[in-house]
């Protein structure tokens, strides 16, 4: 049984306090905003996409520790990845935080993102953890739109 203490693991607390890739990509060619009305989390992503590859990615916004740490870890995880690699990561991440069975291959690609596995025990937090990922999808598929988790 995972407790709330485990949910707020050191990695999450650290990324909340010192978020990576926080700010704006200066020569971004993609942007999307995300909003999780349940918790009040807001995020704006800026990306520089070159062909199929996410060259640069940064985020700004306000929200709870989970949403901020997730955005920080998400941007670190997808930087330099292709769209399909990012989509595969999102798929594996979504399965993990919603408690769906995921394969050993999924676990392998997760890396540090695995710190969010405890979120599956807190359904209200799932939207906090996936907000950045939904926003990324929005930025890649329909840039300029606001993505909401509702
Ligand atoms: Zn939240």
């Amino acid at each position: 049984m995972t407790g709330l203490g485990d949910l707020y693991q050191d990695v999450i607390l650290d990324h909340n306090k010192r978020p990576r890739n926080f700010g704006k990509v200066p020569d971004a060619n993609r942007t999307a905003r995300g909003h999780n009305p349940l918790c009040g989390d807001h995020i704006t992503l800026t990306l520089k996409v070159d062909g199929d590859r996410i060259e640069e990615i940064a985020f700004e916004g306000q929200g709870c520790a989970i949403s901020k740490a997730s955005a920080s870890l998400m941007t670190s995880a997808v930087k330099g990845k292709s769209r399909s690699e990012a989509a595969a990561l999102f798929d594996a991440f979504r399965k993990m935080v919603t408690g769906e069975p995921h394969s050993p291959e999924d676990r392998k690609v997760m890396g540090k993102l695995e710190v969010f596995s405890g979120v599956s025990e807190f359904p209200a937090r799932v939207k906090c953890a996936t907000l950045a990922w939904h926003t990324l999808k929005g930025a890649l598929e329909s840039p300029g739109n606001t993505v909401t988790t509702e």
Side-chain angles (χ1 to χ4, degrees), residues 11 15 39 94 148:
V11 178
H15 277 262
C39 180
R94 191 187 49 74
T148 169

Side-chain angles (χ1 to χ4, degrees), residues 36 38-41 63-67 124-125 127-129:
N36 171 18
L38 270 186
C39 180
D41 308 316
C64 65
I66 297 284
S67 71
R125 288 296 186 195
K127 285 177 177 170
C128 301

